[in-house]
Amino acid sequence: FDKNPDNFLIILDMYRTRKFHVVHTGCALVLQRDLEYWNIDELTIESCCALKYYPEVDVAQNEKDGDLEAKKNAIERAEEENFGDGKVAKWRSWLWNTIEYPWTSKLAQVWAFLSLSAVILSTITFIISTADELQEN
């Protein structure tokens, strides 16, 4: 029996007063699990608290789902970007991270800035070259 003591006080008050009010001190998902443990229906929450509780549950669940998806993507990316164990593999991995992920180092940020600058410069050059005033007759 290892449950959140803050939530237990809320549940105990519900049994004492027959009115279920939620105190927002913790994670809404933890409270939801505690309610399931004590076999208390979420629909018994008073309307004044329900307007706050249900959106918090949705937000917390979305964050949890997003974290799980991010972890899954990170694992898949690590499997795809496995370059091996040799000396050349370490060099390839460093080069890949530098070019692909700007947040990995200052050099990667400089590389990303230079790449973006080259794209912007070539786009501006292309746009200017199509101006009628610059065309030869």
Side-chain angles (χ1 to χ4, degrees):
F1 181 77
D2 186 23
K3 296 292 173 191
N4 189 329
D6 295 330
N7 292 342
F8 181 74
L9 294 176
I10 295 168
I11 293 167
L12 186 61
D13 277 343
M14 195 272 303
Y15 281 115
R16 286 183 192 150
T17 64
R18 298 285 181 214
K19 295 189 185 259
F20 188 28
H21 291 278
V22 179
V23 178
H24 300 286
T25 58
C27 178
L29 293 178
V30 173
L31 177 58
Q32 188 179 45
R33 281 195 306 267
D34 286 349
L35 292 175
E36 289 174 9
Y37 177 81
W38 292 103
N39 292 324
I40 298 173
D41 189 8
E42 286 181 319
L43 299 176
T44 59
I45 296 175
E46 294 292 318
S47 61
C48 59
C49 296
L51 292 173
K52 298 174 188 171
Y53 171 73
Y54 291 113
E56 285 184 17
V57 169
D58 289 340
V59 167
Q61 188 63 46
N62 289 341
E63 287 178 6
K64 181 180 174 184
D65 293 343
D67 287 345
L68 292 175
E69 186 67 27
K71 288 178 184 177
K72 180 181 148 195
N73 290 342
I75 290 170
E76 288 175 0
R77 186 174 61 229
E79 289 173 359
E80 290 174 0
E81 297 173 3
N82 184 6
F83 295 107
D85 296 327
K87 193 173 190 178
V88 174
K90 288 181 182 180
W91 181 251
R92 287 179 63 200
S93 177
W94 174 83
L95 185 62
W96 177 263
N97 288 335
T98 301
I99 293 173
E100 189 68 22
Y101 305 117
W103 58 86
T104 58
S105 67
K106 289 290 183 187
L107 178 63
Q109 290 174 353
V110 169
W111 178 258
F113 177 75
L114 291 174
S115 297
L116 183 62
S117 298
V119 169
I120 291 172
L121 181 64
S122 63
T123 303
I124 291 172
T125 304
F126 177 73
I127 291 171
I128 291 174
S129 70
T130 60
D132 290 333
E133 295 82 26
L134 301 176
Q135 299 294 321
E136 294 180 20
N137 292 331

